[in-house]
């Protein structure tokens, strides 16, 4: 099984009100109470807000898929950054959630069909990055129908038929392999109003002949064929080094709290290092994502947590505060948070301004077909299907 290049995340809206719009026209006030000790990511009792786009990525991690996995690691940020421009029909910005599965790897359980859920639906960009970087390849059996069925069964897709829910499955072996007929799996997807998009890593006609196109069209999805080993030539710009330095300053505006705080802050730094080690341009793209609304860490960062009107910093136990705030009055703590908030806003604004210049520079100097074909193919499919659900892009 083989590849997939870019990643992104999209929609589950588990509401009981059904509307003819993919985006809710009057968002409900569903702010959660502050979770003081720690945020429980993925708690099934915490309901998703309206206008959340959900995408499940099903990646083949058999022997020849290293190119696919590396592109997924590097191109995640392109997808995230594109979603900062998405709007719902009522002009609200949708949230993005991504789930991740690997399949076709001998290291996985044969009883489970060589399939593993790596990550449930999550909007935690550091966690998504961490899970992508944890993937390794090894030979195995690739059962497309079974991994689709597994993701449909295990994930909470919500019940509203008007919401945007997508699967992207990538690989290069026949779509028909395995005991579970892929037609039954995609029929189940149709019942759940989930669109299946298929990405064949190889020749376009070969993908058609091995049922990859059929698997997509049965749900109204897109069939894509890519060269997963194609190396994208990135353009260095005069703004890259400045953005990387600003990213370091941005990290210093985070104030960890709760039992998750220290580990989550360490994860942030680790994913910066992973991105930079992969390629310098990747840390630049990640920094741009971190300067956007898509990067929110209210579960462990006091600056983001304070954006919730129901959050009360006085309810946090003293020992759950960072050392520099322990023993301080509520007024002193709030003043410190406000200072860091203003610092962050200034840094994020500067990164966004520099990135606009960076993108203009790249557009001016980029050669034809220099961009990643998977990224382009995925974004084209996403935008096409999102438009039907009343989403648009500015």
């Amino acid at each position: 099984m083989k590849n997939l290049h870019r990643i992104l995340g999209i929609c589950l809206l588990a509401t009981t009100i059904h509307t003819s719009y993919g985006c809710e026209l009057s968002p409900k006030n569903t702010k959660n109470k502050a979770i003081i000790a720690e945020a429980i990511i993925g708690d099934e009792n915490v309901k998703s807000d309206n206008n959340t786009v959900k995408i499940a990525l099903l990646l083949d991690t058999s022997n020849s898929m290293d190119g696919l996995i590396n592109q997924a690691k590097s191109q995640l940020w392109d997808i995230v950054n594109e979603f900062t421009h998405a709007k719902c029909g009522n002009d609200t910005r949708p949230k993005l959630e991504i789930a991740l599965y690997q399949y076709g790897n001998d290291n996985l359980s044969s009883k489970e069909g060589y399939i593993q859920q790596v990550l449930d639906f999550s909007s935690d960009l550091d966690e998504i990055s961490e899970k992508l970087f944890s993937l390794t390849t090894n030979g195995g059996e690739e059962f497309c129908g079974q991994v689709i069925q597994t993701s449909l069964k295990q994930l909470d897709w919500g019940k509203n038929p008007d919401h945007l829910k997508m699967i992207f499955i990538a690989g290069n072996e026949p779509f028909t392999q395995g005991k579970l007929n892929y037609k039954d799996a995609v029929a189940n997807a149709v019942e759940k109003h989930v669109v299946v998009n298929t990405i064949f890593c190889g020749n376009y006609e070969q993908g058609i002949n091995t049922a990859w196109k059929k698997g997509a069209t049965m749900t109204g999805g897109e069939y894509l064929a890519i060269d997963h080993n194609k190396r994208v030539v990135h353009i260095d710009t005069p703004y890259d080094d400045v953005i990387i330095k600003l990213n370091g300053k941005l990290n210093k505006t985070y104030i960890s709290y709760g039992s998750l705080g220290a580990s989550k802050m360490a994860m942030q730094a680790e994913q910066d290092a992973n991105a930079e080690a992969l390629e310098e341009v990747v840390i630049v793209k990640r920094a741009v994502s971190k300067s956007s609304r898509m990067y929110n860490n209210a579960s462990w960062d006091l600056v983001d947590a304070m954006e919730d009107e129901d959050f009360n910093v006085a309810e946090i136990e003293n020992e759950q505060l960072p050392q520099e705030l322990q023993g301080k009055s509520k007024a002193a703590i709030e003043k410190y948070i406000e200072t860091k908030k203003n610092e962050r806003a200034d840094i994020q604004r500067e990164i966004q301004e520099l990135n606009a210049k960076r993108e203009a520079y790249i557009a001016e100097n980029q050669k034809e077909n220099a961009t990643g074909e998977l990224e382009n193919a995925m974004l084209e499919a996403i935008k096409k299907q999102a438009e039907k659900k009343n989403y648009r892009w500015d």
Side-chain angles (χ1 to χ4, degrees):
M1 301 291 246
K2 305 6 182 178
N3 331 2
L4 158 31
H5 304 183
R6 280 110 205 273
I7 318 280
L8 53 117
I10 311 191
C11 200
L12 134 25
L13 304 160
T15 64
T16 57
I17 297 177
H18 289 214
T19 141
S20 59
Y21 299 89
C23 307
E24 301 291 347
L25 293 185
S26 54
K28 303 172 184 62
N29 182 10
T30 56
K31 288 181 177 291
N32 294 323
K33 295 292 182 182
I35 300 174
I36 303 306
E38 61 183 304
I40 304 175
I41 305 297
D43 189 329
E44 63 184 8
N45 293 320
V46 178
K47 301 301 182 183
S48 292
D49 290 340
N50 290 334
N51 303 334
T52 302
V53 177
K54 292 201 169 185
I55 284 184
L57 300 168
L58 318 181
L59 303 182
D60 176 5
T61 56
S62 61
N63 268 336
S64 56
M65 289 296 97
D66 293 284
L68 169 66
I69 302 308
N70 283 335
Q71 291 195 24
K73 293 173 183 176
S74 66
Q75 296 166 6
L76 162 68
W77 309 110
D78 295 294
I79 300 301
V80 170
N81 292 336
E82 189 68 25
F83 262 89
T84 64
H85 304 293
K87 281 186 176 181
C88 297
N90 57 356
D91 279 347
T92 61
R93 299 289 189 180
K95 291 187 176 181
L96 177 64
E97 291 188 354
I98 295 173
L100 179 63
Y101 281 78
Q102 64 168 323
Y103 72 106
N105 190 315
D106 275 346
N107 291 329
L108 305 177
S109 169
S110 59
K111 294 180 180 179
E112 302 296 329
Y114 303 102
I115 294 165
Q116 180 189 39
Q117 182 189 94
V118 182
L119 180 67
D120 200 349
F121 281 128
S122 174
S123 59
D124 185 331
L125 297 183
D126 288 339
E127 183 180 34
I128 295 167
S129 175
E130 179 190 49
K131 297 303 183 184
L132 280 171
F133 274 91
S134 74
L135 297 179
T136 57
T137 58
N138 195 33
E141 299 292 330
E142 301 89 18
F143 305 142
C144 294
Q146 189 169 347
V147 69
I148 291 172
Q149 181 77 353
T150 299
S151 69
L152 291 169
K153 181 179 179 180
Q154 291 182 346
L155 297 172
D156 181 3
W157 290 94
K159 301 186 182 302
N160 192 328
D162 295 317
H163 289 154
L164 183 56
K165 317 162 193 181
M166 306 173 73
I167 285 173
F168 280 88
I169 178 171
N172 72 344
E173 293 296 321
F175 208 71
T176 53
Q177 291 186 157
K179 296 180 180 179
L180 195 151
N181 192 315
Y182 78 89
K183 294 181 179 179
D184 294 330
V186 296
N188 190 23
V190 172
E191 290 179 3
K192 291 179 176 286
H193 308 283
V194 176
V195 177
V196 177
N197 301 282
T198 62
I199 302 171
F200 181 70
C201 303
N203 178 269
Y204 186 87
E205 292 299 325
Q206 183 181 356
I208 292 177
N209 294 335
T210 52
W212 280 81
K213 184 175 182 180
K214 187 75 174 293
T217 56
M218 287 180 65
T219 69
E222 299 295 311
Y223 162 64
L224 316 164
I226 62 170
D227 176 3
H228 61 290
N229 291 318
K230 178 181 177 181
R231 179 171 176 79
V232 178
V233 179
H234 297 287
I235 297 174
D236 295 328
T237 81
Y239 312 102
D240 295 351
D241 288 342
V242 183
I243 292 175
I244 292 173
K245 290 178 182 178
L246 287 171
N247 180 66
K249 292 182 179 180
L250 184 63
N251 287 351
K252 294 178 181 178
T253 69
Y254 284 83
I255 312 170
S256 64
Y257 76 96
S259 61
L260 293 177
S263 62
K264 285 292 188 177
M265 185 168 278
M267 181 189 292
Q268 181 187 64
E270 182 182 359
Q271 296 318 306
D272 278 357
N274 280 339
E276 191 163 18
L278 195 63
E279 205 164 348
E280 186 176 88
V281 70
V282 181
I283 184 61
V284 174
K285 293 176 180 179
R286 173 172 159 83
V288 174
S289 294
K290 288 168 65 179
S291 70
S292 76
R293 65 180 179 83
M294 308 299 291
Y295 191 71
N296 185 288
N297 297 290
S299 66
W300 62 269
D301 167 55
L302 286 176
V303 174
D304 285 340
M306 286 291 286
E307 292 300 306
D308 188 333
E309 63 186 21
D310 295 325
F311 183 85
N312 184 358
V313 71
E315 295 178 9
I316 301 177
E317 298 293 335
N318 186 64
E319 61 270 17
Q320 292 186 337
L321 290 168
Q323 189 169 5
E324 63 269 26
L325 294 182
Q326 290 184 11
K328 301 288 186 181
S329 67
K330 179 182 179 182
I333 293 173
E334 289 181 343
K335 182 178 179 180
Y336 184 82
I337 294 172
E338 186 67 19
T339 299
K340 291 298 182 180
K341 176 183 177 180
N342 293 335
E343 288 178 14
R344 183 180 303 176
D346 289 341
I347 295 169
Q348 289 178 324
R349 188 181 307 109
E350 190 172 354
I351 291 175
Q352 288 292 324
E353 290 171 354
L354 288 169
N355 186 56
K357 296 177 181 178
R358 172 180 169 270
E359 289 182 341
Y361 183 94
I362 292 173
E364 192 174 316
N365 293 276
Q366 189 163 260
K367 296 180 180 179
E368 188 177 355
N369 296 324
T371 56
E373 55 183 34
L374 176 58
E375 171 194 16
N376 291 338
M378 285 187 67
L379 286 173
E380 182 179 348
I382 289 165
K383 289 183 177 181
K384 182 177 180 180
Q385 290 158 27
E387 185 178 356
K388 298 176 182 178
K389 302 290 186 179
N390 206 29
Y391 286 83
R392 65 183 189 278
W393 308 77
D394 58 22

